[in-house]
Amino acid sequence: MYRYNDFDADFVAQRNRQFRQQVARRIDGSLTEDEFKPLRLMNGLYLQLHAYMLRVAIPYGTLNSAQMRQLAYLAERFDKGYGHFTTRQNIQYNWPKLPDVPDMLDALAEVEMHAIQTSGNTIRNVTADHFAGAAADEIADPRPVAELLRQWSTDHPEFQFLPRKFKIAVTGSPNDRAVIKAHDIGIQVVEQDGRIGYRVLVGGGLGRTPMIGKELADFVSQQELLPYVEAVVSVWNLLGRRDNKYKARIKITVHEHGIEQIRGLVEERFKETRAAFNGADLAIFEQIKPQFAPPAFRNAPTDAFDRAYEADPVFRSWADTNLAQHRAPGYAIAQISIKAHGQTPGDATAEQMRVMADIASEFGHDELRISHEQNVILPHVHKSDLPEIHARLKAHGLATANIGKISDIIACPGMDYCALATARSIPVAQQIATRFDELKIENDIGDLKIKISGCINACGHHHVGHIGILGLDRAGVETYQITLGGDHTENAAIGQRTGPGFGYDEIVPAIERLVGAYLEHRTDPAETFLQTYRRLGMAPFKAALYDSEQSRVAAE
Amino acid sequence: MPRAFTPKVITANALIEGDVIYLTANDDWTRDLARAEILTDEAHAELRLIEASQRHHEAVGVYLADVAKGDKGPEPTHFREDFRRTGPSNYAHGKQEERV
């Protein structure tokens, strides 16, 4: 993984010193809140509903054990013993006090982390496939490019006051696990005539106007990528709507001007940016690449895994659900669910973080990942170690076998924490997970993605959930709208609204009726919820939701 | 016809801790909504809001929140203010923690 050089370390230390002084001046009254707010936001510090919130970047979701242990320390020392992993591969602390934040940033800097550009109208944390460097279907590890983009965008003088925030995601596999089509720029590693290059998508995004990204270029070479991306952001920086924040994102610019005109403007601008790049980016890229070299995989028998798989049904269930195929023989990618039934999606306690760090250092080549689905990944584990890993996870409430299942819910913090939210998300997710655990039909239901947002900004990615839930305020009452048929993969699709929303007490029974309709209508257990929806359309699900007679039948 | 003024309290977040706070009739900030001053006169409420907004060394994001008069003082009329009063749903943190 990438290690800071002297420049990086000095840069972060200087920023922290600067912010420490700014906090001191805010507390002693030298700065008003109007003066201080943009400064704290530049360092990832928000003021939310009940407290401050510090958002820390986890670049492309990659962590080592020391970093995870430091995140645990921050949770324990400065928060209430837990941290919240988000859909943008960040971690958020929900309860810091203002005077403590400079110390938190210094502690992060000790392990080469920071909170710069995790807020504001700038290029945010660059995200990537959480299986990067490990996935069997990968063309190339997307993280060196993500790191190059991170270095280029951090404190980029032209892009600190963009029309709105800007999100870039990178995948190295044709099977998209980074939701690139719902990002301002989505980058996919591709191979053409034996050459590695990049497909560039633009104008995707969720929020109040959800859109799927459009292809801007089918192949951009390594030499051209950074000047090309710079040209895209530069064109939007000029064209982007600053008169209306709701129309400021690049998806609106692309929609209003059309992809052909945007492509033309980008190519025109690219000629200028290309000339300004003197090859330093390529030299940096060559320095970055070896830092993401795969670990030394060992060649060992997998008998211990096979024996445990045969003998222990609990281990078998976990292995079947939570493991993914690794590129190296004898290895697996282990997904740790931090969504035990009834728990807050994305929350991990300090103790759990330390357990995961210990397992990574002992069995996992010192690597961890945070997925956009709010889980933790051990990207490189030998199968022979999995029974021991599973036992340790189980002892700390981390062995829930529900990855990809109905209780593996993405949920934004919602109105329990977020000042922007219009309704709660977390308790809805908790109740759905608990209800389907009680019903004991989670495995029978199979793959089903529920995603919940507590407001129209869609941090919970509800638009691309197979079942999406959007919490709203309707005349002073929490109301939940349902969408169906969303897809976050390479076949990305925006879900369609079913109809009127449901009250807080009605939403879990409504989801139960929806799932009941799926179980009734699927051709066989291999047909997923999404496939059934695509085959039958909205009608049977709408009937289950809104037709009282059919609802009763579906519920029985 | 202008809408009738409904009872309000002045609320904000504390500068240091970020906690939800309310202004009392004695010009103190309290964490307990029941102790907040209920403002029933629009002109008086606007004046109190201006005064409170100037205390930027103590409070952040000062605004008027709707309440109803209850037996034990002001009660929130909107669920957002109710959550601000109590703390998050998923843990006994914030105001709930203090009560424990």
Side-chain angles (χ1 to χ4, degrees):
Chain A
M1 64 187 293
Y2 180 74
R3 303 304 310 263
Y4 277 12
N5 59 28
D6 289 346
F7 175 86
D8 299 323
D10 288 347
F11 172 79
V12 173
Q14 190 185 334
R15 272 291 287 260
N16 288 356
R17 280 197 298 274
Q18 195 180 48
F19 189 58
R20 184 177 288 280
Q21 290 168 358
Q22 290 161 350
V23 168
R25 285 193 284 143
R26 176 68 184 100
I27 291 171
D28 74 16
S30 312
L31 289 177
T32 64
E33 184 60 20
D34 285 347
E35 291 164 332
F36 179 63
K37 187 177 176 182
L39 303 173
R40 67 169 160 79
L41 291 177
M42 286 171 77
N43 292 282
L45 185 63
Y46 289 73
L47 184 58
Q48 297 286 26
L49 213 57
H50 309 290
Y52 289 96
M53 180 273 278
L54 181 67
R55 180 181 293 152
V56 176
I58 301 171
Y60 30 88
T62 294
L63 285 171
N64 62 26
S65 306
Q67 289 171 324
M68 186 64 114
R69 285 193 192 97
Q70 196 75 331
L71 296 182
Y73 165 74
L74 289 179
E76 216 161 54
R77 172 73 181 79
F78 299 108
D79 206 275
K80 293 182 185 289
Y82 68 98
H84 178 76
F85 292 108
T86 78
T87 53
R88 298 223 70 255
Q89 299 181 313
N90 297 308
I91 185 169
Q92 295 182 172
Y93 294 101
N94 286 313
W95 301 94
K97 292 180 173 48
L98 180 58
D100 290 337
V101 174
D103 290 343
M104 295 176 80
L105 295 178
D106 282 350
L108 287 168
E110 285 174 17
V111 292
E112 304 179 349
M113 297 181 78
H114 62 69
I116 297 164
Q117 287 186 204
T118 57
S119 177
N121 292 335
T122 185
I123 297 173
R124 301 288 187 89
N125 186 34
V126 177
T127 56
D129 179 3
H130 44 264
F131 292 171
D137 58 6
E138 187 173 87
I139 292 170
D141 190 334
R143 290 174 304 162
V145 156
E147 174 58 28
L148 182 69
L149 289 162
R150 187 187 74 84
Q151 292 191 19
W152 159 82
S153 61
T154 301
D155 230 24
H156 192 301
E158 191 181 341
F159 303 140
Q160 294 305 301
F161 298 96
L162 293 167
R164 281 282 277 140
K165 58 188 168 183
F166 198 86
K167 299 174 182 175
I168 303 176
V170 194
T171 177
S173 301
N175 298 306
D176 178 18
R177 287 174 289 266
V179 207
I180 63 168
K181 289 186 175 175
H183 280 75
D184 297 297
I185 290 182
I187 297 174
Q188 181 188 353
V189 179
V190 290
E191 194 172 356
Q192 220 175 67
D193 305 324
R195 273 199 319 153
I196 296 287
Y198 305 94
R199 177 178 177 231
V200 177
L201 307 171
V202 70
L206 302 177
R208 85 174 49 219
T209 316
M211 289 189 185
I212 298 298
K214 297 176 175 65
E215 187 178 279
L216 194 61
D218 62 354
F219 188 89
V220 176
S221 69
Q222 184 62 56
Q223 290 89 331
E224 293 174 340
L225 184 69
L226 213 48
Y228 192 80
V229 170
E230 180 153 311
V232 177
V233 185
S234 182
V235 164
W236 170 66
N237 199 13
L238 282 172
L239 281 186
R241 295 274 297 267
R242 283 182 160 86
D243 61 319
N244 181 341
K245 70 180 282 196
Y246 303 117
K247 295 185 176 179
R249 297 292 291 270
I250 196 171
K251 62 189 173 187
I252 304 295
T253 311
V254 171
H255 179 71
E256 286 182 349
H257 293 263
I259 188 71
E260 292 305 327
Q261 190 187 347
I262 295 294
R263 187 180 291 116
L265 290 167
V266 166
E267 282 170 7
E268 203 176 302
R269 176 71 180 134
F270 172 69
K271 286 175 193 157
E272 296 165 3
T273 54
R274 183 75 193 86
F277 277 70
N278 58 9
D281 56 317
L282 295 176
I284 291 169
F285 182 69
E286 289 307 315
Q287 288 167 14
I288 291 171
K289 256 200 316 192
Q291 302 199 48
F292 292 93
F297 296 123
R298 72 179 198 265
N299 190 4
T302 59
D303 303 2
F305 173 84
D306 299 334
R307 279 195 302 274
Y309 191 86
E310 284 302 314
D312 180 356
V314 176
F315 175 75
R316 184 163 61 242
S317 169
W318 179 80
D320 286 344
T321 308
N322 289 30
L323 299 183
Q325 204 182 345
H326 197 281
R327 64 196 313 167
Y331 272 75
I333 300 166
Q335 302 179 78
I336 303 171
S337 167
I338 46 174
K339 295 177 191 166
H341 298 102
Q343 297 300 305
T344 302
D347 275 11
T349 65
E351 183 200 15
Q352 288 176 327
M353 288 187 227
R354 288 197 182 100
V355 168
M356 292 187 280
D358 290 346
I359 291 172
S361 60
E362 200 171 335
F363 302 106
H365 298 276
D366 204 33
E367 272 201 48
L368 297 134
R369 306 285 170 73
I370 307 304
S371 74
H372 80 268
E373 295 180 296
Q374 298 178 290
N375 289 312
V376 179
I377 317 292
L378 296 165
H380 312 295
V381 287
H382 195 273
K383 284 186 166 182
S384 60
D385 294 326
L386 282 167
E388 173 68 17
I389 290 170
H390 177 255
R392 291 204 201 175
L393 293 173
K394 198 173 157 193
H396 294 88
L398 290 167
T400 309
N402 64 345
I403 296 289
K405 300 287 194 284
I406 194 167
S407 64
D408 185 11
I409 297 169
I410 286 182
C412 73
M415 198 180 268
D416 282 309
Y417 296 91
C418 179
L420 298 176
T422 46
R424 288 172 296 170
S425 310
I426 290 170
V428 174
Q430 289 174 302
Q431 288 166 38
I432 292 171
T434 301
R435 178 62 184 146
F436 282 92
D437 190 39
E438 289 165 355
L439 292 171
K440 301 296 172 206
I441 57 172
E442 183 160 18
N443 286 328
D444 188 29
I445 294 164
D447 289 347
L448 202 169
K449 303 278 190 186
I450 296 183
K451 301 177 197 275
I452 308 176
S453 301
C455 80
I456 203 162
N457 292 311
C459 295
H461 293 188
H462 66 276
H463 293 296
V464 291
H466 303 164
I467 297 175
I469 302 174
L470 166 62
L472 295 168
D473 175 349
R474 285 280 181 262
V477 176
E478 283 177 293
T479 305
Y480 295 87
Q481 261 177 16
I482 295 175
T483 51
L484 299 180
D487 185 348
H488 68 288
T489 69
E490 60 281 0
N491 305 311
I494 303 295
Q496 299 299 308
R497 266 183 63 187
T498 57
F502 295 86
Y504 181 76
D505 294 331
E506 299 167 334
I507 185 65
V508 179
I511 299 301
E512 201 174 320
R513 292 200 298 278
L514 269 181
V515 173
Y518 154 65
L519 294 173
E520 185 187 339
H521 290 294
R522 71 183 179 186
T523 52
D524 63 74
E527 187 180 56
T528 65
F529 179 91
L530 190 59
Q531 288 165 341
T532 303
Y533 173 78
R534 285 176 175 164
R535 178 171 57 82
L536 295 175
M538 183 70 86
F541 297 101
K542 204 166 178 170
L545 282 175
Y546 299 107
D547 182 291
S548 57
E549 178 60 19
Q550 289 194 26
S551 302
R552 190 183 58 72
V553 172
E556 280 174 358
Chain B
M1 194 172 157
R3 288 175 59 187
F5 184 77
T6 53
K8 308 243 184 314
V9 294
I10 289 176
T11 183
N13 289 80
L15 169 65
I16 299 295
E17 300 87 359
D19 293 356
V20 174
I21 52 176
Y22 307 94
L23 193 66
T24 71
N26 296 327
D27 275 343
D28 299 323
W29 293 106
T30 176
R31 265 75 174 160
D32 182 3
L33 176 60
R35 294 186 52 226
E37 178 187 21
I38 300 181
L39 303 163
T40 52
D41 177 78
E42 187 169 9
H44 181 57
E46 290 299 328
L47 184 65
R48 296 287 283 157
L49 180 65
I50 290 167
E51 288 169 356
S53 300
Q54 288 168 346
R55 295 165 68 166
H56 60 78
H57 54 296
E58 298 170 355
V60 182
V62 181
Y63 65 95
L64 290 166
D66 284 316
V67 290
K69 285 184 185 176
D71 294 340
K72 294 176 182 171
E75 289 288 334
T77 57
H78 189 277
F79 60 87
R80 185 176 192 274
E81 289 305 323
D82 197 21
F83 300 148
R84 287 184 80 239
R85 173 175 67 161
T86 53
S89 302
N90 57 336
Y91 303 116
H93 285 166
K95 300 290 175 66
Q96 302 157 85
E97 195 174 37
E98 284 158 22
R99 277 191 214 114
V100 173

